[in-house]
Coordinates of all heavy atoms in Angstrom, one line a residue:
M1 N 30.8 27.7 -52.5 CA 30.1 28.0 -51.2 C 31.1 28.7 -50.3 O 32.1 28.1 -49.9 CB 29.6 26.7 -50.6 CG 28.9 26.8 -49.3 SD 28.5 25.2 -48.7 CE 27.2 25.7 -47.6
T2 N 30.7 29.8 -49.8 CA 31.6 30.5 -48.9 C 31.1 30.4 -47.5 O 29.9 30.4 -47.2 CB 31.7 32.0 -49.3 OG1 30.4 32.6 -49.2 CG2 32.2 32.2 -50.7
A3 N 32.0 30.3 -46.6 CA 31.6 30.2 -45.1 C 31.3 31.5 -44.6 O 32.0 32.5 -44.9 CB 32.8 29.5 -44.4
T4 N 30.2 31.6 -43.9 CA 29.8 32.9 -43.3 C 30.5 33.0 -41.9 O 30.8 32.0 -41.2 CB 28.3 32.9 -43.1 OG1 27.9 31.9 -42.2 CG2 27.5 32.9 -44.4
S120 N 43.7 23.8 -37.0 CA 42.5 24.2 -37.6 C 42.6 25.2 -38.7 O 41.9 25.2 -39.7 CB 41.5 24.8 -36.5 OG 42.0 25.9 -35.9
L121 N 43.6 26.2 -38.6 CA 43.8 27.1 -39.6 C 44.4 26.4 -40.9 O 44.0 26.7 -42.0 CB 44.8 28.2 -39.2 CG 44.2 29.2 -38.3 CD1 45.3 30.2 -37.8 CD2 43.1 30.0 -39.0
A122 N 45.2 25.4 -40.6 CA 45.8 24.6 -41.8 C 44.6 23.8 -42.4 O 44.5 23.7 -43.7 CB 46.9 23.7 -41.3
A123 N 43.8 23.2 -41.6 CA 42.6 22.4 -42.1 C 41.7 23.3 -42.9 O 41.2 22.9 -44.0 CB 41.9 21.7 -41.0
D124 N 41.4 24.5 -42.5 CA 40.6 25.4 -43.2 C 41.2 25.9 -44.5 O 40.6 25.9 -45.5 CB 40.2 26.7 -42.3 CG 39.2 26.4 -41.3 OD1 38.5 25.4 -41.4 OD2 39.1 27.3 -40.4
H125 N 42.5 26.2 -44.4 CA 43.2 26.7 -45.6 C 43.3 25.6 -46.7 O 43.1 26.0 -47.9 CB 44.6 27.1 -45.2 CG 45.5 27.6 -46.3 ND1 45.2 28.8 -46.9 CD2 46.5 27.0 -47.0 CE1 46.1 29.0 -47.9 NE2 46.9 27.9 -48.0
W126 N 43.6 24.4 -46.4 CA 43.7 23.4 -47.4 C 42.4 22.5 -47.6 O 42.4 21.6 -48.4 CB 44.9 22.4 -47.1 CG 46.2 23.1 -47.3 CD1 46.6 23.6 -48.5 CD2 47.2 23.3 -46.4 NE1 47.9 24.1 -48.4 CE2 48.3 23.9 -47.1 CE3 47.4 23.0 -45.0 CZ2 49.5 24.3 -46.5 CZ3 48.6 23.4 -44.4 CH2 49.6 24.0 -45.1
G127 N 41.4 22.8 -46.8 CA 40.1 22.1 -47.0 C 40.2 20.6 -46.6 O 39.7 19.8 -47.2
L128 N 41.0 20.4 -45.5 CA 41.2 19.0 -45.1 C 39.9 18.4 -44.5 O 39.1 19.2 -44.0 CB 42.3 18.9 -44.0 CG 43.7 19.5 -44.4 CD1 44.6 19.4 -43.2 CD2 44.2 18.7 -45.5
F129 N 39.7 17.1 -44.6 CA 38.6 16.4 -44.0 C 37.2 16.9 -44.5 O 36.3 16.9 -43.8 CB 38.7 16.4 -42.5 CG 40.0 15.9 -42.0 CD1 40.9 16.8 -41.4 CD2 40.3 14.6 -42.1 CE1 42.1 16.4 -40.9 CE2 41.5 14.2 -41.6 CZ 42.4 15.0 -41.0
G130 N 37.2 17.4 -45.8 CA 35.9 17.8 -46.3 C 35.5 19.2 -46.0 O 34.4 19.6 -46.3
L131 N 36.3 19.9 -45.3 CA 36.0 21.3 -44.9 C 36.0 22.2 -46.2 O 36.9 21.9 -47.0 CB 37.0 21.9 -43.9 CG 36.9 21.3 -42.5 CD1 38.1 21.7 -41.6 CD2 35.6 21.7 -41.8
P132 N 35.2 23.2 -46.2 CA 35.4 24.2 -47.3 C 36.7 24.9 -47.2 O 37.1 25.3 -46.0 CB 34.2 25.1 -47.2 CG 33.7 24.9 -45.8 CD 34.1 23.6 -45.4
K133 N 37.4 25.2 -48.3 CA 38.6 25.9 -48.2 C 38.4 27.3 -47.8 O 37.4 27.9 -48.3 CB 39.4 25.9 -49.6 CG 40.0 24.5 -49.9 CD 40.8 24.6 -51.1 CE 41.4 23.3 -51.4 NZ 42.3 23.4 -52.6
R134 N 39.2 27.8 -46.9 CA 39.1 29.2 -46.5 C 40.5 29.9 -46.5 O 41.4 29.3 -46.0 CB 38.6 29.2 -45.0 CG 38.0 30.5 -44.6 CD 37.5 30.4 -43.2 NE 38.4 31.2 -42.4 CZ 38.5 31.2 -41.1 NH1 37.8 30.4 -40.4 NH2 39.3 32.1 -40.5
R135 N 40.5 31.0 -47.1 CA 41.8 31.7 -47.3 C 42.2 32.3 -46.0 O 41.4 32.9 -45.2 CB 41.6 32.8 -48.3 CG 42.9 33.4 -48.8 CD 42.6 34.4 -49.9 NE 41.6 35.4 -49.5 CZ 41.9 36.7 -49.1 NH1 43.2 37.1 -49.3 NH2 41.1 37.5 -48.7
L136 N 43.5 32.1 -45.6 CA 44.0 32.7 -44.4 C 44.1 34.2 -44.6 O 44.5 34.7 -45.7 CB 45.4 32.1 -44.1 CG 45.4 30.7 -43.6 CD1 46.9 30.2 -43.3 CD2 44.6 30.5 -42.4

Side-chain angles (χ1 to χ4, degrees):
M1 176 183 204
T2 59
T4 60
S120 63
L121 286 174
D124 284 345
H125 179 72
W126 286 302
L128 302 177
F129 306 109
L131 291 170
K133 286 186 179 183
R134 200 180 111 194
R135 195 175 54 105
L136 290 180

